[in-house]
Amino acid sequence: MVMNRDDIARLNEDLLRPLFRTSGRFYWAALILALIVIVALAAWGYQLWAGFGVAGLNRPVYWAFYITNFVFWIGISHAGTLISAILRLANARWRRPVTRCAEVITVFALMIGASFPVIHLGRPWLAFWLFPYPSERRIWPNFRSPLVWDFFAITTYLTGSTTFLLLPIIPDWALVRDKAKGWRRKLYSVLALGWRGTPRQWSRLETAMHIMAVAIIPVAVSVHTIVSWDFAMAPVPMRHSTVFGPYFVAGAIFSGIAALILAMAILRKVLHLEDYLTPLHFDNLGKLLLMMSLFWLYFIVAERLTVWYGNETSEMAVYWPTQRGPFAPLYWTMIGCNFLVPFIILSIKQLRTVAGTVVASSTIVVGMWIERFLIIVPPLERKYLPFAWGTYHPRPVEIIITAGTFAAMALLYLLFVKFVPIISIWELKAGVRQESVVPIPASLLRAPDLIESPSPSGLTRGPAGFSREVS
Amino acid sequence: MVVDLDRCTGCEACVVACRAENNVPTAGEDEAARGRVIHWIRVERYWEGEFPNPRVRFRPVLCQQCDAAPCEPVCPTYASYHTPEGLNAQIYNRCIGTRYCGNACPYTVRYFNFFNPVWDKPLHLQLNPDVSIRQVGIMEKCTFCVQRIKAAEIQAKAEKRDLIEGEFTTACAQACPPKALVFGDLNDPQSEVSRLNRSNRATKLLEEVGTRPSVTYLERGTWRGEKT
């Protein structure tokens, strides 16, 4: 199959449209989201001004909504880079339109997640004391503290995933530069970093991408393992468990895929990308989601069954309230959201459609938020000495800030789509030509966009948008 | 420290003495109901049966000054710190308020300042100048009245002598009418606490968690009011 001039023009037109044309709806959406974010920032300001007591935290529940959000967003961040890296290394052909919208989730979710340990601090203006810098206080951070491990894990992951996101954007920014006029041309000339599409540049890009894809996987796994160790290291009943590392990693990938499916469905609808993000992608990601749902069930059974069977007093004090006490409604909602509904929808082929996977993903996102809440709050409410037990109820400040993070995520995504082609254009073109990204003629990215060379014989299927007959 | 539960009457004089000595702020009714009250030592009450025939046990719980304190390694800024003397110190200036130590402590004896400290009048007139007050956003807990220990050490050093037993004690032990609380040096085998520590009634609180607490509880395992 050969791409002709019309195909390339149509591809460029479809995928660059959001950058060049902005509808009124965009401004309205951005305005509303920005207002929600501003209200959330104001709520945080109020908490700083009035004292931490305006949140619902108390003794013994010192961690609750903020840390739930922290774990939730760090979990969501595993959507992108990890999935994208695995799909790249496995050379899954269908990945091409998916990778970038996944990678960008990682970067933004990580930024939002990383802000929560700061929001949650008693004295957030001193958060920089976690940095290892030679200070006048002549004291290092305590390297034995899992929170310091967290700091290093998250900064490493943020740096790595940002690089991983930006590298394959360079050729696309160069394409925008070549298509644009006026201020856009100036902006994208800078952003494209002098990309000319020479074979040497392509080869370097491919090498860099390969290194990053391999390197980012252990980083991603370590990040959520370390997040789990924030909980598992301290001797708190039902938290002090070796299963937490893999349990959190599985849960993170699980919620990450769900978030990715939701983002893809919205993009597909709003930007009219039906030809690029096809039911095939939702079907494949749906299968992955089904597998992760079963993994998640396996972990929760492994965790709960051993605790129940061991029947240790301090742990049962935490266990029963989640099974049939005050937390039972949340617990069983979580089981329904994370297992029952997704399992039914995703294991039936006829239901594994775009709409079906979106429904399953929505319940999973809700269920995984509840899961983190149930890991954090019930064990703290009932630590060893019954006299010191307590209960936790969220208060408006925490709820507003939580809502604000979802708005912040949507807003950042919205703005990103305005500046970056959300589907990697050069990778789509390369996918049509052949599976390897290496020898792509520079002409592909420069006017006139035209590929004259015959396609390699091995090619069987390009992205769905190009499966139509080409004369 | 040794706490003799068979002597404790649950009068809470220790709680009041501690508040006065250590400038512990008052929370007020509403905040106390929300679980924001601070008391470095608390008297836990456990009971069986209902009025008029309850059987009660009291247990004063304060920071156990653990040798293997779970709160220490988790603190990212070394605010929770083990002194060379073996005290589990809280360095207020270093604390940034992650509250991780409060989660890790199995005794739930670490307290967070949800607001800047306030005192009901006229308590604000009796603040102890030897103890710093704590601002919003940081953790605090029992220090074993470290200001009294330090004062006695400085005095002894000035007089070029060793510390004498009974020269100083904590505010709670000083105030305890039935002398259920006894404070002293466990490293000195001749001291009162060492003698009590060897009692066959001696137990440690939550020893199974592996914290190696410095506080010993003496109890025969009887309820208050029962004849033994």
Side-chain angles (χ1 to χ4, degrees), chain A residues 41-54 66 118-125 397 401, chain B residues 114 116 136:
Chain A
L41 286 173
W44 186 38
Y46 171 63
Q47 177 183 296
L48 288 176
W49 175 74
F52 210 93
V54 296
Y66 297 144
V118 178
I119 293 173
H120 139 108
L121 281 187
R123 300 201 291 176
W125 50 92
V397 175
I401 291 178
Chain B
F114 285 94
N116 268 319
V136 64

Side-chain angles (χ1 to χ4, degrees), chain B:
Chain B
M1 174 173 278
V2 173
V3 183
D4 191 336
L5 298 181
D6 297 327
R7 283 173 175 264
C8 176
T9 60
C11 71
E12 308 222 8
C14 51
V15 178
V16 176
C18 173
R19 299 191 83 90
E21 170 72 19
N22 291 303
N23 298 339
V24 176
T26 46
E29 253 179 74
D30 294 340
E31 290 304 311
R34 290 203 182 98
R36 271 79 178 277
V37 71
I38 298 178
H39 31 216
W40 289 6
I41 182 169
R42 62 172 185 260
V43 179
E44 298 198 342
R45 301 182 299 279
Y46 296 101
W47 66 90
E48 271 184 6
E50 291 304 320
F51 184 80
N53 296 311
R55 302 195 304 166
V56 189
R57 282 182 187 189
F58 300 110
R59 181 188 290 275
V61 176
L62 64 167
C63 174
Q64 308 284 308
Q65 308 286 345
C66 309
D67 280 350
C71 56
E72 285 169 3
V74 299
C75 177
T77 55
Y78 285 112
S80 180
Y81 164 74
H82 212 72
T83 68
E85 290 178 329
L87 281 181
N88 182 255
Q90 177 71 10
I91 301 174
Y92 306 127
N93 293 342
R94 289 181 187 169
C95 180
I96 59 173
T98 67
R99 305 188 288 291
Y100 200 170
C101 55
N103 279 358
C105 174
Y107 307 98
T108 327
V109 289
R110 295 184 144 266
Y111 297 85
F112 183 67
N113 283 278
F114 285 94
F115 296 101
N116 268 319
V118 286
W119 287 269
D120 291 344
K121 284 175 187 171
L123 291 175
H124 67 296
L125 297 174
Q126 63 95 55
L127 295 181
N128 183 352
D130 294 337
V131 179
S132 56
I133 61 169
R134 286 75 61 180
Q135 75 166 128
V136 64
I138 64 174
M139 300 296 292
E140 61 180 69
K141 63 162 196 79
C142 165
T143 60
F144 263 3
C145 287
V146 67
Q147 68 280 4
R148 293 183 172 207
I149 301 175
K150 283 292 163 202
E153 278 176 359
I154 291 165
Q155 188 64 33
K157 200 177 170 192
E159 295 171 11
K160 296 192 171 60
R161 59 172 172 82
D162 286 339
L163 282 169
I164 306 163
E165 199 195 350
E167 188 177 6
F168 63 93
T169 187
T170 60
C172 54
Q174 187 183 4
C176 183
K179 301 217 179 313
L181 297 162
V182 183
F183 182 74
D185 185 3
L186 273 176
N187 292 328
D188 174 8
Q190 306 302 319
S191 68
E192 171 81 357
V193 281
S194 292
R195 190 181 62 75
L196 290 169
N197 198 35
R198 290 191 290 270
S199 159
N200 56 8
R201 291 185 298 142
T203 61
K204 300 273 187 185
L205 188 55
L206 297 179
E207 201 173 9
E208 70 275 15
V209 184
T211 53
R212 295 201 279 140
S214 302
V215 177
T216 301
Y217 287 89
L218 304 182
E219 57 180 329
R220 206 176 280 125
T222 53
W223 296 94
R224 271 282 110 201
E226 268 182 1
K227 293 279 176 284
T228 49

Side-chain angles (χ1 to χ4, degrees), chain A residues 312-464:
Chain A
E312 208 189 305
T313 323
S314 60
E315 296 209 304
M316 297 320 274
V318 179
Y319 176 84
W320 284 120
T322 58
Q323 302 297 308
R324 55 185 189 197
F327 288 106
L330 278 180
Y331 181 84
W332 295 108
T333 308
M334 170 186 81
I335 297 285
C337 285
N338 283 353
F339 175 67
L340 289 179
V341 174
F343 182 74
I344 292 167
I345 291 178
L346 299 173
S347 56
I348 298 171
K349 197 174 180 201
Q350 286 76 11
L351 293 179
R352 209 164 51 234
T353 56
V354 177
T357 52
V358 165
V359 171
S361 301
S362 312
T363 65
I364 289 167
V365 168
V366 174
M368 285 308 290
W369 197 93
I370 297 174
E371 191 231 54
R372 274 65 184 258
F373 183 79
L374 288 176
I375 286 171
I376 289 159
V377 173
L380 292 181
E381 285 197 352
R382 293 174 172 229
K383 276 193 318 190
Y384 303 91
L385 299 175
F387 190 80
W389 286 359
T391 50
Y392 168 78
H393 299 288
R395 291 177 77 193
V397 175
E398 291 158 301
I399 294 167
I400 291 168
I401 291 178
T402 304
T405 62
F406 287 89
M409 182 73 199
L411 181 62
L412 288 168
Y413 215 100
L414 200 67
L415 295 174
F416 183 83
V417 169
K418 277 291 141 204
F419 288 96
V420 181
I422 194 63
I423 289 178
S424 182
I425 299 174
W426 69 268
E427 284 184 274
L428 266 192
K429 290 174 181 169
V432 175
R433 278 195 79 241
Q434 59 186 51
E435 284 304 311
S436 166
V437 297
V438 180
I440 292 187
S443 63
L444 178 65
L445 292 148
R446 302 167 78 177
D449 283 348
L450 192 61
I451 298 176
E452 300 288 4
S453 56
S455 72
S457 54
L459 183 70
T460 51
R461 187 179 64 193

